[in-house]
Amino acid sequence: MFKVADSPLDGRVPDGAIADKWDNRKNELKLVSPNNKRKYEVIVVGTGLAGASAAASLAEMGYNVKAFCFQDSPRRAHSIAAQGGINAAKNYPNDGDSIWRLFYDTVKGGDYRARESNVYRLASVSGNIIDQCVAQGVPFAREYGGTLANRTFGGAQVSRTFYARGQTGQQLLLGAYSSLMRQVGAGKVTLMPRREMMDLIVDEGVTRGIVCRNLKTGEMEAHTGHAVVLATGGYGNVFYLSTNAKGCNVTAAWRCHRRGAYFANPCYTQIHPTCIPVSGDYQSKLTLMSESLRNDGRVWVPKSADDNRAPNEIPEDDRDYYLERRYPAFGNMVPRDVASRAAKERCDAGFGVGDTKQAVYLDFKHAIERDGEDVIRSKYGNLFHMYQKITAENPYQVPMRIYPAVHYTMGGLWVDYNLESSVPGLFVLGEANFSDHGANRLGASALMQGLADGYFVLPYTVGDHIGKHGSSLKPLGNDHPVVQEALESATSRVNSILAVNGTKSPDSIHRQLGQIMWDKCGMARTAAGLKQAAEEIRGLRDVFWNEVKVLGSGDSFNQNLEHAGRLADFLEFAELFATDAWHREESCGGHFREEHQTEDNEARRDDDNFCYAAAWEFQGVGEQPVLHKEPMEFNEVALSTRSYK
Amino acid sequence: MSGQGMNLTLRVWRQAGSEDKGEFRFYQLNNVSEHMSFLEMLDVLNERLIKLGEEPVAFDHDCREGICGMCSLMINGQAHGPDNETTTCQLHMRRFRDGDTITIEPWRAKAFPIIRDLVVDRTSFDRVISAGGYVSVNAGNAPDANCLPVPKQDQEKAMDAAACIGCGACVAACKNASAMLFTSAKVSQMAVLPQGKPERARRVLNMVAQMDEEGFGSCTNTSECEAACPAGISVDNIARLNREYLKAVVFSDEGV
Ligand SMILES: Cc1cc2nc3c(=O)[nH]c(=O)nc-3n(C[C@H](O)[C@H](O)[C@H](O)COP(=O)(O)OP(=O)(O)OC[C@H]3O[C@@H](n4cnc5c(N)ncnc54)[C@H](O)[C@@H]3O)c2cc1C
Ligand code: FES
């Protein structure tokens, strides 16, 4: 199914002790003088935490920036939906936290499949993020004395999570957005909303710009500059049902992949343990109930499989608090992959609850008895409200019913230590890259990573590329052959989708793709299932190109066409996903291969053979991709079996 | 209702483009489950339209969790429909009855031109923010976060205002299409926090000027905006904006 490259891939990690690497790298990087910065244009695709923070920072430094998103406003990027919080090693609660401990927890939480040096840098700038956000006026929760408050998240035994009610992502994004809008007002950033990136423009191996479709008018536009920063988020919607916003897609990343950017670890998907279960076949998305709820909620199922009593009628003795039973040290706060698998295990064994038996209880009874309803309301009011809206049940009175759902994608475009992809001049930030979370992301660390990348890493590293190449890269006009070619290829792709004129809606095909992914590439994977998934995906791709029906035209606002275009890319990407999952003959983090588990059903890694990031090189649709292996070296945190017992 | 779903008549605004004259069209939709969200009901309608060869109804949406502010819709004349503090994406069909006729229209305001069907252009909101809805601090300049204690009650007040999702329901609900609730929420958030104090005078002056320039109407204190707001933003913020504005005009050097 694939070929392997001869030589290992180099992550270009700087020399020196782990704590000095970032400083060492900063000292080596080329600088662009303040007067010269204004001669350069940087294209930032995506305005979530990663993109908005990068675009604002670059403009503050003096670069000219164009910022793109597909929504009508940068403020609506999917980061807005993050609920629970953001980690930082501030050690304000004085409970023994440190940069090293946050680094260690993240490496371990990622099941030893992340790049150590990146994670260390992430932990070391985490404190600056909180400072920056507070300076912007982000209203983080506070104690009565006026200092910042913290809560605990999964995979940690310290309180290091900062939060703004259940709307942390919203407040952080609005902070970054306000900085971005300040630069728009100052004329340093040009906003390009309602644009979908359709292609990357590459000339002689160097990134020169992008092609995007103006979603309002349908016009194809080329935008060229001196560097492209991609911060287009994750690809969880390849599963159709996920906690992601409906527009989240792989299109921008996939188009870059087709132009030479390696795609790393596509199979690493995070299935979040606490989501509202599926209720019907019209279901369009799944809703997360934040991990922070596990601070006060206890997860249980009945001890007896055929216990049909209402939850409140089941006495303590007949309840199985299975996380507390299996993992006494971390209890309900085990990492997500562990909690999700444990829920699936109970449901598969027949202990699930509710009509579908595909759910477990998350119960706040004890917390309400202990702290009172008002305290619980002040911490989680908006989540309880949301739960009640969707299910028509009152979680102050009856336990929530929850089930795992696709939530986050650790895989993404491969980047080196500078966050530069395998195509020079293309930088990738946030959820769209692969580098910091290994095979499983800890809660509250995606927000941290997005802002670390955008405020504190990229602004330095992009200068190195521009310092080296900037003066030789003259802007390309629309008549340049590579620009022409990219424009034509994007236009012809839109036209071919419209030309199929079959009978099946994009949504119906997308749902089918989601079913294949969930059944065979979801929480439990097998070699045979993955092989079959790859075949079914190829088949479904043919169905798409022969039977999809998209009405309307390419030169107008056409949401169905947008969806079809994204689906076409998911259908190519999904095959790589299955191939990656099939090739990785081990279990690690969110990647669970049934063949590779311990007697008590924990993931069994194979460090001798798979301690690498799998970076795939595109060879053509349906062609065997080339696998580049970047060895993951662990010099600081010794490789060991994760235990949360 | 259980088992059998509801039968509904939908009266939907269709408009091919910003320059076109729109019209209402009627669609019959049967067997709608009470557990569906309002947008899922529209998804079902659109799937049916595609089968019939009619272009699906365009409507904005993204998170479907009530937080991104992308969804909109006037539902039976109410912004985001009948439920309090609920966006259209969080509204569920159990709120409606078998046999209902539901009228679905876009936000209507001069500053929100229609793009297609139920989709409008709200970039005017972004321009109001870019006129002053920020603290002027560059990345890399910030002191330690705990250097600046903020009383818990001030932080809570700021958070109440900062919860605005920027959907535009306040404008759509207001007979003058005023953007006062939106603008005042941002002005308030910054006015109660110490971080926002240095720029408070120019912020309020510039944001109000931009609001006027975008063609939003003036505020006549009918509080329709508060009633329609899915994020529970209070009209107290408008009072605070007015105080801020007055102070800026009278006491600051920024002038008007
Ligand atoms: C419900 C939910 C709750 C979460 N809670 C937390 C939490 O509490 N803590 C935490 O740390 N993490 C959380 N996460 C994860 C975290 O929110 C995301 O990983 C993170 O916000 C991603 O940020 P980003 O900037 O990389 O991308 P996004 O915020 O997804 O932004 C992507 C941007 O790219 C643009 N874009 C995408 N595709 C294209 C295209 N083809 N063309 C043009 N533009 C495009 C979009 O318009 C958008 O502006 C949560 C995630 C979900 C789904
Ligand atoms: S779709 Fe995001 S608020 Fe409704």
Side-chain angles (χ1 to χ4, degrees):
Chain A
M1 298 229 286
F2 63 91
K3 296 175 265 187
V4 182
D6 297 333
S7 46
L9 186 57
D10 181 3
R12 297 189 276 265
V13 174
D15 296 330
I18 189 100
D20 301 332
K21 283 182 191 292
W22 181 222
D23 280 339
N24 293 348
R25 175 54 50 87
K26 282 194 284 190
N27 293 337
E28 295 159 15
L29 292 173
K30 272 202 168 318
L31 295 174
V32 180
S33 75
N35 279 335
N36 281 339
K37 286 203 184 85
R38 71 170 78 100
K39 297 184 193 151
Y40 296 120
E41 180 136 303
V42 184
I43 287 170
V44 180
V45 191
T47 60
L49 288 185
S53 59
S57 304
L58 291 169
E60 287 163 6
M61 293 162 73
Y63 293 108
N64 299 309
V65 177
K66 273 188 189 163
F68 295 78
C69 64
F70 67 75
Q71 295 91 343
D72 66 339
S73 163
R75 67 180 289 153
R76 309 206 200 281
H78 172 58
S79 294
I80 200 96
Q83 302 169 348
I86 176 167
N87 286 331
K90 281 286 199 187
N91 194 30
Y92 286 157
N94 199 23
D95 57 359
D97 200 9
S98 63
I99 289 173
W100 203 88
R101 195 175 285 278
L102 173 55
F103 157 69
Y104 170 84
D105 286 347
T106 309
V107 169
K108 176 185 172 195
D111 216 355
Y112 305 92
R113 290 293 176 266
R115 196 190 280 143
E116 258 193 351
S117 53
N118 284 55
V119 179
Y120 194 91
R121 175 176 62 194
L122 175 64
S124 55
V125 302
S126 63
N128 304 79
I129 297 173
I130 303 304
D131 301 339
Q132 175 63 18
C133 296
V134 166
Q136 287 168 338
V138 169
F140 282 123
R142 288 178 185 264
E143 307 292 351
Y144 279 103
T147 55
L148 291 157
N150 287 112
R151 56 166 60 141
T152 312
F153 253 58
Q157 288 170 313
V158 293
S159 269
R160 62 161 74 100
T161 305
F162 294 79
Y163 62 100
R165 296 195 188 145
Q167 292 134 271
T168 315
Q170 178 197 31
Q171 293 310 315
L172 295 174
L173 183 59
L174 293 181
Y177 161 80
S178 70
S179 290
L180 178 68
M181 294 316 289
R182 172 175 162 237
Q183 295 303 320
V184 171
K188 293 302 290 179
V189 175
T190 310
L191 275 190
M192 295 280 168
R194 292 206 197 262
R195 298 295 197 295
E196 173 118 73
M197 173 171 165
M198 308 291 283
D199 210 345
L200 186 72
I201 301 173
V202 180
D203 186 32
E204 295 178 359
V206 179
T207 304
R208 304 303 297 275
I210 64 166
V211 167
C212 61
R213 182 166 177 272
N214 180 329
L215 300 179
K216 252 167 88 172
T217 63
E219 195 187 336
M220 282 300 170
E221 307 167 338
H223 299 270
T224 60
H226 296 89
V228 171
V229 177
L230 202 78
T232 46
Y235 49 81
N237 281 350
V238 68
F239 287 82
Y240 189 83
L241 287 181
S242 82
T243 62
N244 288 8
K246 291 294 283 178
C248 293
N249 64 88
V250 79
T251 287
W254 189 250
R255 297 278 121 195
C256 294
H257 177 62
R258 291 179 53 124
R259 292 284 180 186
Y262 300 167
F263 210 114
N265 303 333
C267 80
Y268 290 165
T269 314
Q270 177 161 85
I271 315 265
H272 196 294
T274 52
C275 303
I276 301 179
V278 174
S279 77
D281 54 10
Y282 47 78
Q283 187 102 24
S284 62
K285 73 155 294 181
L286 295 170
T287 301
L288 177 76
M289 288 286 107
S290 166
E291 176 159 305
S292 58
L293 292 172
R294 285 194 274 146
N295 272 303
D296 287 296
R298 297 176 70 195
V299 178
W300 64 276
V301 291
K303 276 189 182 151
S304 138
D306 40 19
D307 193 332
N308 289 325
R309 286 175 289 180
N312 289 342
E313 285 161 20
I314 301 181
E316 285 297 314
D317 282 352
D318 294 347
R319 298 175 173 199
D320 176 14
Y321 293 94
Y322 59 88
L323 287 176
E324 297 166 34
R325 169 171 59 79
R326 282 179 68 177
Y327 307 100
F330 281 69
N332 291 296
M333 296 311 283
V334 291
R336 294 172 178 178
D337 53 337
V338 177
S340 289
R341 272 200 297 282
K344 179 178 185 319
E345 188 278 329
R346 283 293 80 190
C347 293
D348 289 352
F351 294 89
V353 301
D355 290 345
T356 59
K357 297 279 178 200
Q358 291 294 302
V360 299
Y361 290 126
L362 177 63
D363 198 339
F364 296 90
K365 190 176 92 175
H366 293 103
I368 290 174
E369 281 165 9
R370 184 186 65 221
D371 298 338
E373 201 171 302
D374 285 347
V375 170
I376 297 302
R377 179 170 287 115
S378 75
K379 284 191 190 166
Y380 313 114
N382 70 322
L383 297 171
F384 278 46
H385 178 77
M386 198 173 356
Y387 183 86
Q388 190 161 7
K389 279 272 151 225
I390 294 172
T391 63
E393 284 175 4
N394 179 352
Y396 294 99
Q397 281 156 17
V398 285
M400 290 184 177
R401 279 174 298 110
I402 51 155
Y403 197 68
V406 173
H407 176 60
Y408 180 87
T409 50
M410 282 74 68
L413 289 180
W414 182 85
V415 289
D416 67 8
Y417 184 78
N418 287 0
L419 305 182
E420 190 165 8
S421 74
S422 53
V423 185
L426 173 67
F427 294 79
V428 190
L429 318 186
E431 192 171 342
N433 78 21
F434 90 107
S435 62
D436 293 8
H437 307 294
N440 173 59
R441 176 177 69 80
L442 289 183
S445 58
L447 302 183
M448 170 173 70
Q449 184 221 337
L451 292 180
D453 289 358
Y455 285 132
F456 299 114
V457 180
L458 177 97
Y460 295 92
T461 58
V462 87
D464 193 57
H465 171 78
I466 293 177
K468 282 180 186 146
H469 303 277
S471 52
S472 61
L473 298 177
K474 299 278 168 275
L476 302 182
N478 265 9
D479 52 353
H480 191 282
V482 294
V483 179
Q484 276 295 318
E485 191 271 331
L487 278 168
E488 275 160 25
S489 114
T491 310
S492 82
R493 193 171 166 85
V494 166
N495 292 339
S496 355
I497 291 175
L498 288 165
V500 178
N501 198 14
T503 54
K504 297 201 156 102
S505 72
D507 206 59
S508 65
I509 300 175
H510 197 168
R511 278 181 197 274
Q512 266 179 287
L513 174 63
Q515 201 61 52
I516 299 172
M517 296 301 292
W518 182 247
D519 290 345
K520 304 197 171 73
C521 309
M523 262 192 287
R525 305 164 173 178
T526 63
L530 290 162
K531 249 203 138 109
Q532 202 190 335
E535 251 165 59
E536 290 177 19
I537 292 162
R538 280 193 291 275
L540 194 60
R541 203 158 61 218
D542 290 341
V543 169
F544 177 90
W545 285 105
N546 291 305
E547 299 181 46
V548 78
K549 179 171 181 178
V550 179
L551 298 163
S553 72
D555 51 14
S556 64
F557 186 82
N558 188 339
Q559 291 173 313
N560 225 226
L561 177 63
E562 291 167 30
H563 187 182
R566 292 172 191 157
L567 174 60
D569 289 323
F570 276 135
L571 284 163
E572 291 179 11
F573 166 73
E575 190 180 348
L576 183 68
F577 186 123
T579 304
D580 184 46
W582 175 80
H583 115 281
R584 190 167 281 279
E585 284 278 356
E586 65 163 349
S587 293
C588 55
H591 171 63
F592 193 73
R593 285 284 299 267
E594 288 189 349
E595 305 93 321
H596 305 288
Q597 53 182 311
T598 62
E599 291 73 49
D600 43 1
N601 307 109
E602 304 294 344
R604 180 181 280 139
R605 285 198 327 260
D606 177 355
D607 294 331
D608 291 340
N609 295 303
F610 288 97
C611 197
Y612 60 79
W616 300 92
E617 183 185 352
F618 184 75
Q619 299 289 314
V621 178
E623 302 296 322
Q624 293 186 4
V626 175
L627 170 62
H628 297 262
K629 298 179 182 177
E630 184 199 339
M632 293 287 115
E633 283 158 17
F634 293 90
N635 300 316
E636 304 299 319
V637 184
L639 276 165
S640 63
T641 303
R642 269 193 322 167
S643 168
Y644 293 96
K645 298 195 189 269
Chain B
M1 295 268 329
S2 61
Q4 193 70 32
M6 294 173 258
N7 297 339
L8 301 171
T9 305
L10 305 175
R11 180 168 170 261
V12 184
W13 185 259
R14 304 295 317 251
Q15 180 173 338
S18 49
E19 304 303 317
D20 294 276
K21 212 170 133 271
E23 60 174 13
F24 281 107
R25 263 187 239 156
F26 286 86
Y27 302 100
Q28 188 65 36
L29 199 62
N30 293 342
N31 209 7
V32 172
S33 157
E34 61 174 359
H35 298 299
M36 280 182 192
S37 72
F38 197 84
L39 296 185
E40 284 169 344
M41 183 275 292
L42 288 180
D43 291 341
V44 172
L45 170 70
N46 277 343
E47 285 296 289
R48 233 203 40 209
L49 292 182
I50 294 173
K51 275 222 170 67
L52 296 172
E54 180 171 344
E55 278 193 62
V57 179
F59 61 90
D60 265 331
H61 64 101
D62 199 23
C63 75
R64 297 200 175 195
E65 289 193 2
I67 192 78
C68 74
M70 191 87 178
C71 67
S72 54
L73 306 188
M74 290 304 265
I75 300 169
N76 290 336
Q78 284 180 292
H80 289 299
D83 280 359
N84 273 342
E85 296 196 15
T86 303
T87 53
T88 294
C89 60
Q90 294 288 85
L91 177 66
H92 278 68
M93 295 313 293
R94 60 180 80 92
R95 199 62 177 69
F96 298 88
R97 302 244 163 285
D98 190 29
D100 277 358
T101 295
I102 308 178
T103 298
I104 308 171
E105 294 171 84
W107 287 169
R108 296 198 191 268
K110 184 167 146 227
F112 292 164
I114 292 178
I115 295 174
R116 184 186 179 101
D117 296 339
L118 306 171
V119 175
V120 301
D121 182 341
R122 289 170 286 196
T123 49
S124 46
F125 268 9
D126 289 323
R127 289 186 291 273
V128 170
I129 296 293
S130 84
Y134 47 75
V135 173
S136 297
V137 55
N138 287 358
N141 284 340
D144 185 87
N146 262 349
C147 285
L148 190 74
V150 177
K152 190 173 166 67
Q153 59 277 20
D154 290 355
Q155 171 261 321
E156 294 287 345
K157 247 188 252 161
M159 183 63 213
D160 287 341
C164 166
I165 62 172
C167 63
C170 47
V171 175
C174 173
K175 64 180 167 47
N176 309 322
S178 163
M180 270 297 254
L181 193 66
F182 170 79
T183 307
S184 69
K186 189 47 77 181
V187 167
S188 283
Q189 177 196 346
M190 297 303 185
V192 297
L193 289 175
Q195 297 92 310
K197 299 259 147 83
E199 296 169 276
R200 64 197 292 181
R202 38 185 314 187
R203 174 178 306 115
V204 68
L205 296 175
N206 290 343
M207 288 180 78
V208 168
Q210 189 64 36
M211 197 171 73
D212 293 343
E213 191 173 314
E214 297 292 342
F216 290 109
S218 53
C219 173
T220 49
N221 293 313
T222 61
S223 298
E224 287 296 331
C225 50
E226 181 185 84
C229 177
I233 306 296
S234 150
V235 289
D236 294 350
N237 292 301
I238 297 184
R240 191 176 291 110
L241 180 147
N242 286 331
R243 287 198 299 275
E244 289 288 310
Y245 191 82
L246 202 66
K247 262 194 275 183
V249 173
V250 178
F251 299 116
S252 88
D253 303 330
E254 303 283 343
V256 250

